[in-house]
Amino acid sequence: MSGVPAAAGGPARANGAAAASAPGKGAAGAAAHGPSAAGPRGAAVAASVPGGSAESSSGNAGGASSAGAAGGASVGSSEGGPVASPGAAPESVADGGSGSGPAGAKPARGGKIAAAAVNQASVWNIANLLTMLRLLLVPAFVALMLADGGYDPAWRSLAWAAFAIAMITDLFDGHLARTYDLVTDFGKIADPIADKAIMGAALICLSALGDLPWWVTAVILGRELGVTLLRFLVIRYGVIPASRGGKLKTLTQGVAVGMYVLALTGWLATLRFWVMAAAVVLTVVTGLDYVRQAIVLRRQGIAERKAALEETQG
């Protein structure tokens, strides 16, 4: 159906909806309430929705067209080029005043930058807040652990509670960040620091109080720092993924250290010894596996660079 032109020089009023059909698209509705803004030859008011139809509505402002939420509105002059209505999307303005589909759409200048800004997760998201909480729990844990000489069962129980909360948040913050796209540069840096800070504080306090041999603390912390350094050294060749053995090691370490923080006696004290022994074994084995992966990754990276260089020169 063709559009409904307004009489030249006179106002056009519509109580219902005048439908206009865009080429290759669905029906478009427009309503006019007031004088048209066209020249002597009249004006056509068209609202286009890509691939669908738009419901018409009688506007309170003269000459305005209303479209559905999926598309924008456009006002096309019958004498000249298209004129965009207020609030219309750039894709809805096309030659000849008809609505254009996605094929003719042109993204707004700077749209990619704006989209990147919108998609960037805020630093103050739930995952980062859990990481910050874990960092704050480190000095609290140390104070509770060393309170009253460090041997009071009540203070040790409170220290265990702080340590347990820190370990539990470690399980959730990374999962939340990956699941809900909350990964930020702050989280990438702060999360491993918080993990090593709480574990290192617990091991050093236990060794300082004589509950855990210093060599155990040295092996665990040495492995953690060594693996972190190794990741930075080979990052130019690729990323060493976290293994199942590494995750099991982290869980076993957390359980073992938690049992040592508590003032346990009897068979529980014997059990925690064997849990810590298992944690030390997993620490050494997974550390050696990371060294192996780093060597393989470096060799592959050097070989690929050499092949690329030869291809370029040849």
Coordinates of all heavy atoms in Angstrom, one line a residue, residues 167 171 199 223-224 242-256 275-276 278-283 285-286 290:
M167 N 40.0 -19.5 52.1 CA 40.1 -20.7 51.1 C 38.8 -20.9 50.4 O 38.8 -21.2 49.2 CB 40.5 -21.9 51.8 CG 41.9 -21.9 52.5 SD 43.2 -21.4 51.4 CE 43.2 -22.9 50.3
L171 N 37.7 -20.5 46.1 CA 37.0 -21.4 45.2 C 36.0 -20.7 44.3 O 35.7 -21.1 43.2 CB 36.4 -22.5 46.0 CG 37.3 -23.4 46.8 CD1 36.5 -24.4 47.6 CD2 38.2 -24.2 45.9
M199 N 48.2 -18.5 52.2 CA 48.9 -19.7 52.4 C 50.3 -19.5 53.0 O 50.7 -20.2 53.9 CB 49.0 -20.5 51.1 CG 49.7 -21.9 51.2 SD 48.8 -23.0 52.3 CE 47.3 -23.3 51.4
R223 N 58.1 -23.8 45.8 CA 57.4 -24.3 44.6 C 56.5 -23.2 44.0 O 56.4 -23.0 42.8 CB 56.7 -25.6 44.9 CG 56.0 -26.3 43.8 CD 54.5 -25.9 43.7 NE 53.8 -26.6 42.7 CZ 52.7 -26.2 42.1 NH1 52.1 -25.1 42.5 NH2 52.0 -27.0 41.3
E224 N 55.7 -22.6 44.9 CA 54.7 -21.6 44.4 C 55.4 -20.4 43.7 O 55.0 -20.0 42.6 CB 53.9 -21.1 45.6 CG 53.1 -22.2 46.3 CD 52.1 -22.9 45.4 OE1 51.6 -22.2 44.4 OE2 51.8 -24.1 45.6
A242 N 46.5 -24.7 34.0 CA 46.4 -25.3 35.3 C 46.0 -26.8 35.1 O 45.0 -27.0 34.4 CB 45.4 -24.6 36.2
S243 N 46.6 -27.7 35.8 CA 46.3 -29.1 35.7 C 45.5 -29.6 36.8 O 45.3 -28.9 37.8 CB 47.7 -29.9 35.7 OG 48.3 -29.7 36.9
R244 N 44.9 -30.8 36.6 CA 44.1 -31.4 37.7 C 45.0 -31.6 38.9 O 44.5 -31.5 40.1 CB 43.5 -32.6 37.2 CG 42.4 -32.4 36.1 CD 41.7 -33.7 35.8 NE 40.7 -33.5 34.8 CZ 40.0 -34.5 34.2 NH1 40.2 -35.8 34.6 NH2 39.1 -34.3 33.3
G245 N 46.2 -32.0 38.7 CA 47.1 -32.3 39.8 C 47.4 -31.0 40.6 O 47.5 -31.0 41.8
G246 N 47.5 -29.9 39.9 CA 47.7 -28.6 40.6 C 46.5 -28.2 41.5 O 46.6 -27.7 42.6
K247 N 45.3 -28.5 41.0 CA 44.0 -28.2 41.7 C 44.0 -29.1 43.0 O 43.6 -28.7 44.0 CB 42.8 -28.4 40.9 CG 42.7 -27.4 39.7 CD 41.5 -27.6 38.8 CE 41.5 -26.6 37.7 NZ 40.4 -26.8 36.8
L248 N 44.3 -30.4 42.8 CA 44.3 -31.4 43.9 C 45.4 -31.0 44.9 O 45.1 -31.1 46.1 CB 44.6 -32.8 43.4 CG 44.6 -33.9 44.4 CD1 43.3 -34.0 45.1 CD2 45.0 -35.2 43.8
K249 N 46.5 -30.5 44.4 CA 47.5 -30.0 45.4 C 47.0 -28.8 46.2 O 47.2 -28.8 47.4 CB 48.8 -29.6 44.5 CG 49.9 -29.0 45.3 CD 49.9 -27.5 45.5 CE 49.7 -26.8 44.2 NZ 49.6 -25.3 44.4
T250 N 46.4 -27.9 45.6 CA 45.8 -26.7 46.3 C 44.8 -27.2 47.4 O 44.8 -26.7 48.5 CB 45.2 -25.8 45.3 OG1 46.1 -25.3 44.3 CG2 44.6 -24.5 46.0
L251 N 43.9 -28.1 47.0 CA 42.9 -28.6 48.0 C 43.6 -29.3 49.1 O 43.2 -29.1 50.3 CB 42.0 -29.5 47.2 CG 40.9 -30.2 48.1 CD1 40.0 -29.1 48.8 CD2 40.1 -31.2 47.3
T252 N 44.6 -30.2 48.8 CA 45.3 -30.9 49.9 C 46.0 -30.0 50.8 O 46.0 -30.2 52.0 CB 46.2 -32.0 49.3 OG1 45.5 -32.7 48.3 CG2 46.7 -32.9 50.3
Q253 N 46.7 -29.0 50.2 CA 47.4 -28.0 51.0 C 46.5 -27.3 52.0 O 46.8 -27.1 53.2 CB 48.1 -27.0 50.2 CG 49.4 -27.5 49.6 CD 50.1 -26.4 48.7 OE1 49.6 -25.3 48.6 NE2 51.3 -26.7 48.2
G254 N 45.3 -26.9 51.5 CA 44.4 -26.1 52.3 C 43.9 -26.9 53.5 O 43.8 -26.5 54.6
V255 N 43.5 -28.2 53.2 CA 43.1 -29.1 54.3 C 44.2 -29.3 55.3 O 43.9 -29.3 56.5 CB 42.6 -30.4 53.7 CG1 42.2 -31.4 54.8 CG2 41.3 -30.2 52.8
A256 N 45.4 -29.6 54.8 CA 46.5 -29.9 55.7 C 46.8 -28.7 56.6 O 47.0 -28.8 57.8 CB 47.7 -30.3 54.9
V275 N 48.2 -36.1 56.0 CA 47.6 -35.2 55.0 C 48.7 -34.2 54.5 O 48.8 -33.9 53.3 CB 46.4 -34.4 55.6 CG1 45.8 -33.4 54.6 CG2 45.3 -35.5 55.9
M276 N 49.5 -33.6 55.4 CA 50.5 -32.7 55.1 C 51.6 -33.4 54.2 O 52.1 -32.8 53.3 CB 51.1 -32.1 56.3 CG 52.2 -31.1 56.0 SD 51.7 -29.7 55.0 CE 50.8 -28.7 56.2
A278 N 51.1 -35.9 52.2 CA 50.5 -36.0 50.8 C 50.6 -34.6 50.1 O 50.8 -34.6 48.9 CB 49.1 -36.5 50.9
A279 N 50.3 -33.5 50.8 CA 50.4 -32.2 50.2 C 51.8 -31.9 49.7 O 52.0 -31.3 48.6 CB 49.9 -31.2 51.2
V280 N 52.8 -32.3 50.5 CA 54.2 -32.0 50.1 C 54.5 -32.8 48.9 O 55.2 -32.3 47.9 CB 55.2 -32.3 51.3 CG1 56.6 -32.3 50.8 CG2 54.9 -31.4 52.4
V281 N 54.1 -34.1 48.8 CA 54.4 -34.9 47.6 C 53.8 -34.3 46.4 O 54.4 -34.2 45.3 CB 53.9 -36.4 47.9 CG1 54.0 -37.2 46.6 CG2 54.7 -37.0 49.0
L282 N 52.5 -33.9 46.5 CA 51.8 -33.3 45.4 C 52.4 -32.0 45.0 O 52.5 -31.7 43.8 CB 50.3 -33.1 45.7 CG 49.4 -34.4 45.8 CD1 48.0 -34.0 46.3 CD2 49.3 -35.0 44.4
T283 N 52.9 -31.3 45.9 CA 53.6 -30.0 45.6 C 54.8 -30.2 44.8 O 55.1 -29.5 43.8 CB 54.0 -29.3 47.0 OG1 52.8 -29.0 47.7 CG2 54.8 -28.0 46.7
V285 N 55.6 -33.0 43.0 CA 55.3 -33.7 41.7 C 54.7 -32.7 40.7 O 55.2 -32.6 39.5 CB 54.4 -34.9 41.9 CG1 53.9 -35.4 40.6 CG2 55.1 -36.0 42.7
T286 N 53.8 -31.9 41.1 CA 53.2 -30.9 40.2 C 54.2 -29.8 39.8 O 54.1 -29.3 38.7 CB 51.9 -30.3 40.8 OG1 52.3 -29.7 42.1 CG2 50.8 -31.4 41.0
Y290 N 55.2 -28.9 36.0 CA 55.2 -27.5 35.4 C 56.5 -27.2 34.7 O 56.6 -26.6 33.7 CB 54.9 -26.5 36.5 CG 53.5 -26.2 36.7 CD1 52.8 -26.6 37.9 CD2 52.7 -25.5 35.8 CE1 51.5 -26.4 38.1 CE2 51.4 -25.3 36.0 CZ 50.8 -25.7 37.1 OH 49.4 -25.5 37.3

